[in-house]
C-alpha cells in the first residue's frame, strides 16, 4: 500500500522532475490538462504553476494520495481511477502529463496509444519515467530478494517495469514524428545511508510491503541498507551522493 507521508517526505526531490518537464513546455498554451498518476498532487502543483488558467484533472488509483491532493489543491478535480485502463470517458485534452507513473503498469504501449488518441490535434503527451533498473539502488533490492524467495514468489508482476530509452522512443514514434527525449541524473545529497533507504520506502518498497509482515519488512530493509552502504560511499564531509536517473519524453500529435 502507498504511504503518502513517506512518499512526500522527499517532496522537493520528487517534485523537481515535474517542474522540469513542465518547463520544457511552458511556451505552449494548454486549456485542458490531464495529470495521470497524480499521486498526492505534487505534479499537479507544477502544472498549475505553469498554466494557471487551465482546467486540470488529476487521476490516481490511491485514495490516500488523492485525499492529500484534494486538501492541497481544492480547485482541482481529482478522480480515483485505474490509470492502466481507458480514460477516454474523461474527454480530450491539450496536454496529458504523467510523472513517474508509467513504470507501474505492464501495458505501457497500450497506455501511450490511448493517451495519443485522447489528445486534441496539436496536443502533447509528456512523460517522466524513473530509470530505476539502471541504478545501483535497484541491485541493492534485487540482491536482498534472494534471501526471501518463498515470501516474494511472483513479486515481479508487482514491481517497476522499465524499458530502454530507445524502446520508449520507438513507442512514441509510432504515433508522432514530433518527439523530444532527454535524460537527467538528479544527484540527491543525503545526510546518511538511512535517508536513501527512506527514499526507497516511498515507492520502490511498495510491492514488498504487501508480501512481508512488519517484522519481515524490517529485516528486509536492513539487508537492503547493508547493500546501500556498500554501493554508495560516504563522502569526505559525511554526506552520501544518491544519483537518480530519469527519462523524459514529449510527443506532439
Amino acid at each position: 500500500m502507498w504511504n503518502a507521508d513517506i512518499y512526500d517526505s522527499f517532496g522537493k526531490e520528487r517534485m523537481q522532475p515535474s517542474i522540469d518537464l513542465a518547463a520544457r513546455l511552458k511556451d505552449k498554451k494548454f486549456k485542458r490538462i490531464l495529470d495521470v498518476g497524480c499521486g498526492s498532487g505534487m505534479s499537479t502543483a507544477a502544472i498549475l504553476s505553469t498554466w494557471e488558467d487551465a482546467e486540470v484533472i488529476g487521476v490516481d488509483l490511491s485514495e490516500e494520495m488523492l485525499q492529500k491532493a484534494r486538501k492541497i489543491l481544492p480547485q482541482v478535480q481529482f478522480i480515483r481511477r485505474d490509470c492502466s485502463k481507458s480514460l477516454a470517458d474523461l474527454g480530450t485534452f491539450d496536454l496529458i502529463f504523467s510523472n513517474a507513473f508509467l513504470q507501474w503498469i505492464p501495458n505501457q504501449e497500450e497506455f501511450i496509444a490511448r493517451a495519443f488518441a485522447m489528445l486534441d490535434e496539436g496536443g502533447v503527451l509528456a512523460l517522466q519515467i524513473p530509470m530505476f533498473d539502471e541504478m545501483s539502488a535497484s541491485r541493492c533490492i534485487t540482491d536482498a530478494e534472494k534471501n526471501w524467495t518463498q515470501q516474494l514468489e511472483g513479486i515481479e508482476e508487482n514491481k517497476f517495469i522499465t524499458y530502454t530509452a530507445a524502446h520508449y522512443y520507438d513507442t512514441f514514434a509510432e504515433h508522432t514524428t514530433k518527439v523530444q527525449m532527454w535524460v537527467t541524473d538528479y544527484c540527491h545529497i543525503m545526510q546518511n545511508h538511512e535517508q536513501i533507504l527512506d527514499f526507497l520506502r516511498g515507492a520502490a518498497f511498495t510491492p514488498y510491503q504487501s508480501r512481508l509482515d512488519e517484522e519481515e519488512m524490517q529485516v528486509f530493509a536492513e539487508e537492503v541498507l547493508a547493500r546501500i552502504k556498500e554501493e554508495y560511499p560516504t563522502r569526505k564531509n559525511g554526506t552520501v551522493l544518491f544519483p537518480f536517473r530519469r527519462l523524459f519524453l514529449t510527443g506532439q500529435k
Side-chain angles (χ1 to χ4, degrees):
M1 294 292 293
W2 283 102
N3 185 309
D5 291 331
I6 292 176
Y7 187 85
D8 288 349
S9 63
F10 288 94
K12 180 180 179 181
E13 290 83 357
R14 296 189 190 279
M15 187 174 179
Q16 190 62 50
S18 294
I19 295 171
D20 295 344
L21 182 56
R24 283 293 185 109
L25 301 167
K26 66 180 180 180
D27 294 334
K28 297 182 179 294
K29 296 185 182 298
F30 299 117
K31 295 181 179 179
R32 196 163 192 261
I33 302 172
L34 180 65
D35 186 8
V36 181
C38 61
S40 60
M42 286 186 287
S43 56
T44 320
I47 291 169
L48 283 173
S49 66
T50 308
W51 299 283
E52 296 178 358
D53 298 328
E55 175 194 357
V56 181
I57 297 175
V59 288
D60 198 277
L61 184 59
S62 170
E63 184 59 32
E64 181 186 5
M65 289 285 198
L66 289 172
Q67 287 178 4
K68 194 162 189 176
R70 293 183 186 113
K71 291 179 181 178
I72 297 170
L73 300 168
Q75 71 272 41
V76 174
Q77 182 182 9
F78 289 104
I79 306 171
R80 186 175 185 270
R81 293 290 294 266
D82 182 348
C83 301
S84 68
K85 299 179 180 179
S86 175
L87 301 171
D89 59 291
L90 298 176
T92 60
F93 297 85
D94 303 309
L95 171 63
I96 296 178
F97 190 100
S98 186
N99 180 68
F101 157 74
L102 194 68
Q103 74 277 6
W104 287 110
I105 61 173
N107 57 330
Q108 297 179 17
E109 291 84 0
E110 292 178 18
F111 171 84
I112 291 170
R114 288 197 295 260
F116 272 106
M118 291 174 62
L119 289 173
D120 295 318
E121 194 65 32
V124 174
L125 173 61
L127 304 180
Q128 183 272 120
I129 306 163
M131 303 303 282
F132 191 66
D133 289 344
E134 297 182 6
M135 296 171 50
S136 298
S138 177
R139 292 193 298 274
C140 292
I141 295 175
T142 54
D143 285 349
E145 279 183 30
K146 296 172 184 177
N147 297 327
W148 301 84
T149 54
Q150 183 176 352
Q151 296 92 329
L152 299 178
E153 184 178 358
I155 191 72
E156 293 299 324
E157 63 188 41
N158 301 117
K159 291 170 61 176
F160 292 137
I161 302 172
T162 56
Y163 302 101
T164 64
H167 174 92
Y168 288 113
Y169 171 80
D170 289 340
T171 304
F172 264 56
E174 292 178 9
H175 306 283
T176 179
T177 59
K178 299 177 180 179
V179 181
Q180 290 190 337
M181 182 175 69
W182 68 98
V183 173
T184 300
D185 284 321
Y186 292 85
C187 197
H188 304 310
I189 301 173
M190 301 300 199
Q191 296 306 306
N192 49 51
H193 294 97
E194 285 75 11
Q195 280 199 335
I196 296 178
L197 185 68
D198 288 342
F199 190 102
L200 298 177
R201 289 182 194 274
F205 271 24
T206 303
Y208 304 91
Q209 291 167 346
S210 61
R211 301 294 187 100
L212 303 175
D213 62 32
E214 186 175 349
E215 184 177 343
E216 289 172 334
M217 196 66 212
Q218 179 61 36
V219 176
F220 179 75
E222 290 172 358
E223 293 176 0
V224 174
L225 179 60
R227 289 166 172 80
I228 288 172
K229 290 178 178 178
E230 293 177 0
E231 289 287 341
Y232 297 92
T234 302
R235 311 316 306 173
K236 291 181 179 179
N237 65 354
T239 61
V240 183
L241 298 182
F242 180 46
F244 202 109
R245 175 162 293 186
R246 298 180 183 272
L247 172 68
F248 297 81
L249 295 112
T250 67
Q252 183 174 1
K253 186 172 181 179

